[in-house]
Structures are given as C-alpha cells and as structure tokens.
Amino acid sequence: MGEDNKPLLIKRYASRRLYNTETSDYVTLDDIAGFIRSGREVQIVDLKSGDDLTRQYLLQIIAEHESRGENVLPVNVLNDLVRAYTTQATSMVPQFLQTSFDMLRESQEKVMESMGTGMSMPGLEAMQAQQEAFMKAMTGGMAWPGSSAPAAEKSEASSGEGEDLDDIKKQLAELQDKLSKLK
C-alpha cells in the first residue's frame, strides 16, 4: 500500500483522547470527520488493547451530525437499518450499502467532471432516449407529461412497437453491462 493509501492511524489513550500519530497532536471528532471528507482513510485503535475502534467512532461522528440537524439518513432508512440487525438480511445489507455508495460516489464524480468541462453528463441523453422509447412502448404512442417527442413521431411508435421493445431490451442490456462495470 502506498503512503497516500495508508490509513491515518489515530490512537485512543486511556483518557479517551485521540492522538494523531502523523502530526503528533491530539485531534477531535470534527478533525477526524475533516480527514475523511478530504478523502483520507482513518483507523482508530485503542492504545492499550489494540482493539480497532474505527467503526464506533465513525458511528459517533454520524450520530453527532444527525443530532445537530444535518439529517442525511431519513427515519425510514434508520428504521430499516435497525430491522436489518435483527433479521437474516444483515448478510446482504452491508454489500448493498457499499455498492450503493460506490455508485453514488462515481456518479458525483462524473457530474463534477462534466460540470467542470461544461459538457453534459455522459450517457444522460441515451438514458433520456431510452426512457422515452420505454414510455412509447408502454403507452402505445400516447402522449405523456414531459415527453419531448412530437405527436407524429409518437403515432409512428405504435406501428413499430415490436421494434421499439427490442431496442429497449438492447439498451437495457447495455446499461446493465455498464452498471456492472462500474462496480
């Protein structure tokens, strides 16, 4: 592992103070949250026992943000998480959450890149076209709110409905392939 990828080691002393081993100074939970926001991985260990306390402190940081009104987790999601601890779903919840956050992070990066270059988001037009084709096939060419296709084009869609459905299946397969490559 390179130096940049190596987690920042924070040691917790018996006094419960947190010590940054790189800068040789004490840090707060806000400091740790700042390290993480800047992209740094953090590992917090108990000095005496060597136990990894990272999870405990990360949950504490989240709880403090939530209690200050910086609500990111809706109550129904919190309820689902509590339920997950008491059901068989616990085995798939961590993987699902990790995959979801990975996809969110990648999407945010792509949006930021496209905003920086002034270009539209890659694949957005294709997704919009696929949605329109899907809606055409489902409604038999009838107009629906937000449709940008002209009425004549919509009436043509009902005559080539089988072709549209094949196109949709092909586009869906391509999107699924792209999504699997993002993982």
Side-chain angles (χ1 to χ4, degrees):
M1 216 183 257
E3 187 63 32
D4 291 340
N5 295 335
K6 186 177 179 183
L8 171 60
L9 181 61
I10 306 289
K11 293 184 179 179
R12 183 185 77 172
Y13 284 90
S15 64
R16 298 182 114 22
R17 291 190 70 186
L18 301 169
Y19 185 77
N20 182 338
T21 59
E22 285 185 3
T23 58
S24 302
D25 61 349
Y26 291 102
V27 293
T28 65
L29 288 179
D30 284 337
D31 294 330
I32 293 171
F35 298 142
I36 294 168
R37 272 189 225 97
S38 70
R40 189 74 192 267
E41 295 293 323
V42 174
Q43 182 181 18
I44 304 168
V45 296
D46 183 86
L47 180 66
K48 188 173 183 178
S49 68
D51 291 342
D52 189 342
L53 306 172
T54 308
R55 179 183 308 270
Q56 170 187 334
Y57 278 94
L58 294 179
L59 287 169
Q60 187 175 346
I61 290 169
I62 291 168
E64 285 189 11
H65 282 282
E66 290 286 322
S67 70
R68 285 186 267 187
E70 301 170 31
N71 300 331
V72 172
L73 299 169
V75 173
N76 61 338
V77 170
L78 293 171
N79 283 325
D80 288 342
L81 284 171
V82 170
R83 279 186 205 103
Y85 279 96
T86 59
T87 66
Q88 296 297 325
T90 55
S91 63
M92 54 187 221
V93 170
Q95 182 180 2
F96 171 77
L97 290 173
Q98 182 64 51
T99 302
S100 298
F101 274 99
D102 289 346
M103 290 176 66
L104 175 65
R105 185 177 24 260
E106 290 171 9
S107 295
Q108 286 175 330
E109 288 171 1
K110 287 180 182 177
V111 168
M112 294 307 290
E113 287 172 9
S114 67
M115 286 174 62
T117 60
M119 298 175 68
S120 62
M121 191 169 123
L124 183 61
E125 294 84 11
M127 287 188 338
Q128 288 173 334
Q130 179 186 11
Q131 286 175 338
E132 283 191 25
F134 178 76
M135 289 303 292
K136 283 180 198 176
M138 295 303 290
T139 60
M142 294 174 20
W144 69 92
S147 171
S148 61
E153 191 179 319
K154 288 178 189 170
S155 64
E156 291 171 11
S158 61
S159 64
E161 203 169 334
E163 292 175 23
D164 284 345
L165 189 55
D166 291 338
D167 288 343
I168 291 169
K169 287 179 181 178
K170 181 181 174 191
Q171 289 174 354
L172 183 58
E174 290 171 359
L175 279 175
Q176 287 174 333
D177 186 47
K178 287 178 185 178
L179 282 175
S180 67
K181 289 178 183 177
L182 288 176
K183 293 178 185 178

